[in-house]
Short mmCIF file of all heavy atoms in Angstrom, two decimals:
data_model
loop_
_atom_site.label_atom_id
_atom_site.label_comp_id
_atom_site.label_asym_id
_atom_site.label_seq_id
_atom_site.Cartn_x
_atom_site.Cartn_y
_atom_site.Cartn_z
N ASP A 1018 -2.64 -7.86 -9.47
CA ASP A 1018 -1.61 -8.32 -8.52
C ASP A 1018 -1.22 -7.24 -7.52
O ASP A 1018 -0.39 -7.50 -6.62
CB ASP A 1018 -0.36 -8.77 -9.28
CG ASP A 1018 -0.63 -9.98 -10.16
OD1 ASP A 1018 -1.55 -10.75 -9.82
OD2 ASP A 1018 0.07 -10.14 -11.18
N LEU A 1019 -1.77 -6.03 -7.67
CA LEU A 1019 -1.37 -4.94 -6.79
C LEU A 1019 -1.64 -5.23 -5.31
O LEU A 1019 -0.77 -4.95 -4.46
CB LEU A 1019 -2.05 -3.64 -7.22
CG LEU A 1019 -1.65 -2.40 -6.43
CD1 LEU A 1019 -0.15 -2.14 -6.55
CD2 LEU A 1019 -2.44 -1.18 -6.90
N PRO A 1020 -2.79 -5.77 -4.91
CA PRO A 1020 -2.99 -6.06 -3.48
C PRO A 1020 -1.94 -7.01 -2.93
O PRO A 1020 -1.48 -6.85 -1.77
CB PRO A 1020 -4.38 -6.70 -3.46
CG PRO A 1020 -5.07 -6.14 -4.64
CD PRO A 1020 -4.01 -6.02 -5.68
N ILE A 1021 -1.50 -7.99 -3.67
CA ILE A 1021 -0.46 -8.92 -3.21
C ILE A 1021 0.85 -8.17 -3.02
O ILE A 1021 1.58 -8.37 -2.03
CB ILE A 1021 -0.31 -10.07 -4.21
CG1 ILE A 1021 -1.61 -10.86 -4.32
CG2 ILE A 1021 0.84 -11.00 -3.80
CD1 ILE A 1021 -1.59 -11.96 -5.35
N VAL A 1022 1.19 -7.28 -3.98
CA VAL A 1022 2.42 -6.49 -3.87
C VAL A 1022 2.37 -5.59 -2.64
O VAL A 1022 3.38 -5.46 -1.91
CB VAL A 1022 2.62 -5.66 -5.15
CG1 VAL A 1022 3.81 -4.72 -5.00
CG2 VAL A 1022 2.80 -6.56 -6.36
N LEU A 1023 1.21 -4.99 -2.36
CA LEU A 1023 1.10 -4.13 -1.18
C LEU A 1023 1.26 -4.91 0.10
O LEU A 1023 1.89 -4.43 1.07
CB LEU A 1023 -0.25 -3.41 -1.21
CG LEU A 1023 -0.45 -2.35 -2.31
CD1 LEU A 1023 -1.87 -1.79 -2.26
CD2 LEU A 1023 0.56 -1.23 -2.16
N LEU A 1024 0.71 -6.12 0.14
CA LEU A 1024 0.88 -6.96 1.33
C LEU A 1024 2.34 -7.33 1.55
O LEU A 1024 2.85 -7.34 2.69
CB LEU A 1024 0.03 -8.23 1.21
CG LEU A 1024 -1.49 -8.03 1.34
CD1 LEU A 1024 -2.21 -9.34 1.07
CD2 LEU A 1024 -1.85 -7.49 2.72
N LEU A 1025 3.06 -7.63 0.47
CA LEU A 1025 4.49 -7.94 0.60
C LEU A 1025 5.28 -6.73 1.08
O LEU A 1025 6.16 -6.85 1.95
CB LEU A 1025 5.02 -8.42 -0.75
CG LEU A 1025 4.51 -9.78 -1.25
CD1 LEU A 1025 5.05 -10.09 -2.63
CD2 LEU A 1025 4.91 -10.88 -0.27
N LEU A 1026 4.95 -5.54 0.54
CA LEU A 1026 5.63 -4.32 1.00
C LEU A 1026 5.33 -4.04 2.46
O LEU A 1026 6.21 -3.59 3.22
CB LEU A 1026 5.21 -3.14 0.12
CG LEU A 1026 5.75 -3.10 -1.30
CD1 LEU A 1026 5.15 -1.93 -2.06
CD2 LEU A 1026 7.28 -2.99 -1.28
N LEU A 1027 4.07 -4.29 2.84
CA LEU A 1027 3.71 -4.06 4.25
C LEU A 1027 4.48 -5.01 5.17
O LEU A 1027 4.95 -4.61 6.27
CB LEU A 1027 2.20 -4.25 4.42
CG LEU A 1027 1.60 -3.89 5.79
CD1 LEU A 1027 1.85 -2.41 6.08
CD2 LEU A 1027 0.11 -4.18 5.82
N ALA A 1028 4.67 -6.26 4.75
CA ALA A 1028 5.44 -7.22 5.55
C ALA A 1028 6.89 -6.78 5.66
O ALA A 1028 7.51 -6.88 6.74
CB ALA A 1028 5.35 -8.61 4.91
N VAL A 1029 7.45 -6.28 4.54
CA VAL A 1029 8.83 -5.78 4.57
C VAL A 1029 8.96 -4.60 5.50
O VAL A 1029 9.94 -4.47 6.27
CB VAL A 1029 9.28 -5.42 3.14
CG1 VAL A 1029 10.63 -4.69 3.16
CG2 VAL A 1029 9.38 -6.67 2.28
N ALA A 1030 7.95 -3.70 5.46
CA ALA A 1030 8.00 -2.52 6.33
C ALA A 1030 7.97 -2.92 7.80
O ALA A 1030 8.66 -2.33 8.64
CB ALA A 1030 6.82 -1.60 6.00
N PHE A 1031 7.17 -3.93 8.18
CA PHE A 1031 7.13 -4.39 9.56
C PHE A 1031 8.47 -5.01 9.99
O PHE A 1031 8.94 -4.80 11.11
CB PHE A 1031 6.01 -5.42 9.74
CG PHE A 1031 4.67 -4.80 10.05
CD1 PHE A 1031 3.62 -4.95 9.16
CD2 PHE A 1031 4.47 -4.09 11.21
CE1 PHE A 1031 2.39 -4.38 9.42
CE2 PHE A 1031 3.23 -3.52 11.49
CZ PHE A 1031 2.18 -3.67 10.60
N LEU A 1032 9.06 -5.76 9.10
CA LEU A 1032 10.31 -6.45 9.44
C LEU A 1032 11.47 -5.48 9.55
O LEU A 1032 12.33 -5.59 10.45
CB LEU A 1032 10.62 -7.52 8.39
CG LEU A 1032 9.68 -8.74 8.37
CD1 LEU A 1032 10.03 -9.66 7.20
CD2 LEU A 1032 9.78 -9.51 9.70
N LEU A 1033 11.54 -4.53 8.64
CA LEU A 1033 12.68 -3.61 8.59
C LEU A 1033 12.43 -2.31 9.32
O LEU A 1033 13.36 -1.48 9.42
CB LEU A 1033 13.05 -3.32 7.13
CG LEU A 1033 13.43 -4.55 6.28
CD1 LEU A 1033 13.76 -4.12 4.86
CD2 LEU A 1033 14.61 -5.29 6.91
N ARG A 1034 11.21 -2.08 9.79
CA ARG A 1034 10.86 -0.84 10.49
C ARG A 1034 11.21 0.39 9.66
O ARG A 1034 11.80 1.36 10.14
CB ARG A 1034 11.60 -0.76 11.83
CG ARG A 1034 11.36 -1.93 12.77
CD ARG A 1034 9.96 -1.87 13.33
NE ARG A 1034 9.73 -2.96 14.29
CZ ARG A 1034 8.61 -3.07 14.99
NH1 ARG A 1034 7.65 -2.18 14.83
NH2 ARG A 1034 8.45 -4.07 15.85
N MET A 1035 10.78 0.35 8.37
CA MET A 1035 11.07 1.46 7.46
C MET A 1035 9.81 2.32 7.29
O MET A 1035 8.82 1.89 6.71
CB MET A 1035 11.52 0.92 6.09
CG MET A 1035 12.83 0.11 6.17
SD MET A 1035 13.32 -0.55 4.55
CE MET A 1035 13.62 0.97 3.64
N ASP A 1036 9.84 3.55 7.82
CA ASP A 1036 8.67 4.45 7.75
C ASP A 1036 8.31 4.82 6.31
O ASP A 1036 7.13 4.98 5.97
CB ASP A 1036 8.95 5.72 8.55
CG ASP A 1036 9.07 5.43 10.04
OD1 ASP A 1036 8.56 4.37 10.46
OD2 ASP A 1036 9.66 6.26 10.74
N PHE A 1037 9.32 4.95 5.47
CA PHE A 1037 9.06 5.34 4.09
C PHE A 1037 8.21 4.28 3.37
O PHE A 1037 7.31 4.61 2.60
CB PHE A 1037 10.38 5.54 3.34
CG PHE A 1037 10.21 5.78 1.88
CD1 PHE A 1037 9.74 7.00 1.40
CD2 PHE A 1037 10.49 4.77 0.96
CE1 PHE A 1037 9.57 7.20 0.05
CE2 PHE A 1037 10.31 4.97 -0.39
CZ PHE A 1037 9.85 6.20 -0.86
N VAL A 1038 8.51 3.00 3.65
CA VAL A 1038 7.75 1.94 3.01
C VAL A 1038 6.32 1.93 3.52
O VAL A 1038 5.37 1.72 2.76
CB VAL A 1038 8.43 0.57 3.25
CG1 VAL A 1038 7.60 -0.56 2.63
CG2 VAL A 1038 9.82 0.57 2.68
N PHE A 1039 6.15 2.19 4.85
CA PHE A 1039 4.78 2.31 5.39
C PHE A 1039 4.01 3.42 4.66
O PHE A 1039 2.85 3.25 4.26
CB PHE A 1039 4.83 2.62 6.89
CG PHE A 1039 4.98 1.42 7.75
CD1 PHE A 1039 6.15 1.23 8.50
CD2 PHE A 1039 3.98 0.48 7.85
CE1 PHE A 1039 6.30 0.11 9.31
CE2 PHE A 1039 4.12 -0.64 8.66
CZ PHE A 1039 5.29 -0.82 9.39
N TYR A 1040 4.68 4.56 4.50
CA TYR A 1040 4.03 5.71 3.84
C TYR A 1040 3.66 5.35 2.39
O TYR A 1040 2.56 5.66 1.93
CB TYR A 1040 4.99 6.90 3.89
CG TYR A 1040 4.46 8.11 3.16
CD1 TYR A 1040 3.48 8.93 3.75
CD2 TYR A 1040 4.93 8.45 1.90
CE1 TYR A 1040 3.00 10.03 3.09
CE2 TYR A 1040 4.45 9.56 1.23
CZ TYR A 1040 3.47 10.34 1.82
OH TYR A 1040 2.99 11.45 1.16
N LEU A 1041 4.59 4.67 1.71
CA LEU A 1041 4.33 4.30 0.32
C LEU A 1041 3.14 3.34 0.22
O LEU A 1041 2.28 3.48 -0.66
CB LEU A 1041 5.58 3.66 -0.28
CG LEU A 1041 5.48 3.20 -1.74
CD1 LEU A 1041 5.23 4.38 -2.65
CD2 LEU A 1041 6.76 2.47 -2.16
N VAL A 1042 3.08 2.38 1.14
CA VAL A 1042 1.97 1.43 1.11
C VAL A 1042 0.65 2.13 1.37
O VAL A 1042 -0.36 1.87 0.69
CB VAL A 1042 2.21 0.31 2.15
CG1 VAL A 1042 0.95 -0.55 2.30
CG2 VAL A 1042 3.38 -0.56 1.75
N TYR A 1043 0.64 3.07 2.35
CA TYR A 1043 -0.61 3.79 2.66
C TYR A 1043 -1.09 4.60 1.45
O TYR A 1043 -2.27 4.61 1.10
CB TYR A 1043 -0.40 4.71 3.86
CG TYR A 1043 -0.14 3.97 5.14
CD1 TYR A 1043 0.60 4.60 6.17
CD2 TYR A 1043 -0.60 2.68 5.35
CE1 TYR A 1043 0.85 3.93 7.36
CE2 TYR A 1043 -0.35 2.01 6.53
CZ TYR A 1043 0.39 2.64 7.54
OH TYR A 1043 0.64 1.98 8.71
N VAL A 1044 -0.16 5.30 0.80
CA VAL A 1044 -0.54 6.17 -0.34
C VAL A 1044 -1.05 5.34 -1.51
O VAL A 1044 -2.10 5.63 -2.10
CB VAL A 1044 0.67 7.03 -0.76
CG1 VAL A 1044 0.36 7.75 -2.07
CG2 VAL A 1044 1.01 8.04 0.31
N VAL A 1045 -0.30 4.27 -1.85
CA VAL A 1045 -0.70 3.45 -2.99
C VAL A 1045 -2.01 2.74 -2.71
O VAL A 1045 -2.90 2.65 -3.57
CB VAL A 1045 0.42 2.46 -3.36
CG1 VAL A 1045 -0.06 1.52 -4.45
CG2 VAL A 1045 1.67 3.19 -3.79
N ALA A 1046 -2.17 2.20 -1.49
CA ALA A 1046 -3.41 1.52 -1.15
C ALA A 1046 -4.59 2.48 -1.18
O ALA A 1046 -5.69 2.14 -1.64
CB ALA A 1046 -3.29 0.86 0.22
N GLY A 1047 -4.38 3.71 -0.68
CA GLY A 1047 -5.46 4.69 -0.72
C GLY A 1047 -5.85 5.07 -2.14
O GLY A 1047 -7.03 5.17 -2.48
N ALA A 1048 -4.81 5.26 -2.99
CA ALA A 1048 -5.08 5.60 -4.39
C ALA A 1048 -5.80 4.45 -5.10
O ALA A 1048 -6.71 4.66 -5.91
CB ALA A 1048 -3.78 5.95 -5.11
N TYR A 1049 -5.39 3.23 -4.78
CA TYR A 1049 -6.01 2.05 -5.40
C TYR A 1049 -7.48 1.94 -5.00
O TYR A 1049 -8.36 1.72 -5.84
CB TYR A 1049 -5.24 0.80 -4.97
CG TYR A 1049 -5.83 -0.49 -5.49
CD1 TYR A 1049 -5.67 -0.87 -6.82
CD2 TYR A 1049 -6.54 -1.34 -4.64
CE1 TYR A 1049 -6.22 -2.05 -7.30
CE2 TYR A 1049 -7.08 -2.53 -5.11
CZ TYR A 1049 -6.92 -2.87 -6.43
OH TYR A 1049 -7.46 -4.04 -6.91
N GLY A 1050 -7.76 2.10 -3.70
CA GLY A 1050 -9.16 2.01 -3.24
C GLY A 1050 -10.02 3.12 -3.82
O GLY A 1050 -11.17 2.89 -4.22
N LEU A 1051 -9.45 4.35 -3.87
CA LEU A 1051 -10.20 5.47 -4.43
C LEU A 1051 -10.48 5.26 -5.92
O LEU A 1051 -11.59 5.54 -6.40
CB LEU A 1051 -9.42 6.77 -4.22
CG LEU A 1051 -10.05 8.04 -4.81
CD1 LEU A 1051 -11.40 8.32 -4.15
CD2 LEU A 1051 -9.11 9.24 -4.65
N ALA A 1052 -9.48 4.74 -6.63
CA ALA A 1052 -9.66 4.51 -8.08
C ALA A 1052 -10.76 3.48 -8.33
O ALA A 1052 -11.60 3.67 -9.22
CB ALA A 1052 -8.34 4.07 -8.70
N ARG A 1053 -10.76 2.41 -7.56
CA ARG A 1053 -11.79 1.39 -7.77
C ARG A 1053 -13.17 1.92 -7.42
O ARG A 1053 -14.15 1.66 -8.13
CB ARG A 1053 -11.46 0.15 -6.94
CG ARG A 1053 -10.23 -0.61 -7.43
CD ARG A 1053 -10.04 -1.90 -6.65
NE ARG A 1053 -11.14 -2.82 -6.86
CZ ARG A 1053 -11.21 -3.68 -7.87
NH1 ARG A 1053 -10.25 -3.71 -8.77
NH2 ARG A 1053 -12.23 -4.50 -7.99
N TRP A 1054 -13.27 2.66 -6.33
CA TRP A 1054 -14.57 3.22 -5.94
C TRP A 1054 -15.05 4.24 -6.97
O TRP A 1054 -16.21 4.25 -7.36
CB TRP A 1054 -14.44 3.86 -4.56
CG TRP A 1054 -15.68 4.58 -4.11
CD1 TRP A 1054 -16.78 4.04 -3.53
CD2 TRP A 1054 -15.95 5.98 -4.25
NE1 TRP A 1054 -17.72 5.00 -3.28
CE2 TRP A 1054 -17.24 6.22 -3.72
CE3 TRP A 1054 -15.23 7.06 -4.75
CZ2 TRP A 1054 -17.81 7.47 -3.67
CZ3 TRP A 1054 -15.80 8.32 -4.71
CH2 TRP A 1054 -17.08 8.51 -4.19
N TRP A 1055 -14.13 5.10 -7.40
CA TRP A 1055 -14.45 6.15 -8.37
C TRP A 1055 -14.92 5.54 -9.69
O TRP A 1055 -15.93 5.94 -10.26
CB TRP A 1055 -13.20 6.99 -8.56
CG TRP A 1055 -13.36 8.23 -9.40
CD1 TRP A 1055 -14.38 8.55 -10.23
CD2 TRP A 1055 -12.44 9.30 -9.47
NE1 TRP A 1055 -14.16 9.76 -10.83
CE2 TRP A 1055 -12.96 10.25 -10.37
CE3 TRP A 1055 -11.20 9.56 -8.86
CZ2 TRP A 1055 -12.28 11.43 -10.68
CZ3 TRP A 1055 -10.55 10.74 -9.17
CH2 TRP A 1055 -11.09 11.67 -10.07
N THR A 1056 -14.17 4.57 -10.18
CA THR A 1056 -14.51 3.96 -11.47
C THR A 1056 -15.85 3.23 -11.41
O THR A 1056 -16.68 3.36 -12.31
CB THR A 1056 -13.41 2.99 -11.90
OG1 THR A 1056 -12.16 3.69 -11.96
CG2 THR A 1056 -13.72 2.39 -13.27
N ALA A 1057 -16.06 2.45 -10.34
CA ALA A 1057 -17.32 1.72 -10.21
C ALA A 1057 -18.50 2.67 -10.07
O ALA A 1057 -19.60 2.38 -10.54
CB ALA A 1057 -17.25 0.78 -9.01
#
């Protein structure tokens, strides 16, 4: 469910113009993509 959660956070960040949420989404999404690539 993590990709769905990231999309919801990204929508919240666009609506509220919160830079911290953008940063959090970028970091978590990057870690998630790296983990999947690394494991595979």
Side-chain angles (χ1 to χ4, degrees):
D1018 296 333
L1019 183 60
I1021 298 176
V1022 174
L1023 291 177
L1024 288 175
L1025 292 176
L1026 288 176
L1027 187 61
V1029 171
F1031 273 116
L1032 291 175
L1033 301 180
R1034 303 288 183 175
M1035 298 178 64
D1036 293 340
F1037 173 74
V1038 178
F1039 276 113
Y1040 177 78
L1041 179 63
V1042 170
Y1043 294 154
V1044 171
V1045 174
Y1049 177 75
L1051 178 62
R1053 291 186 64 86
W1054 175 83
W1055 187 344
T1056 303

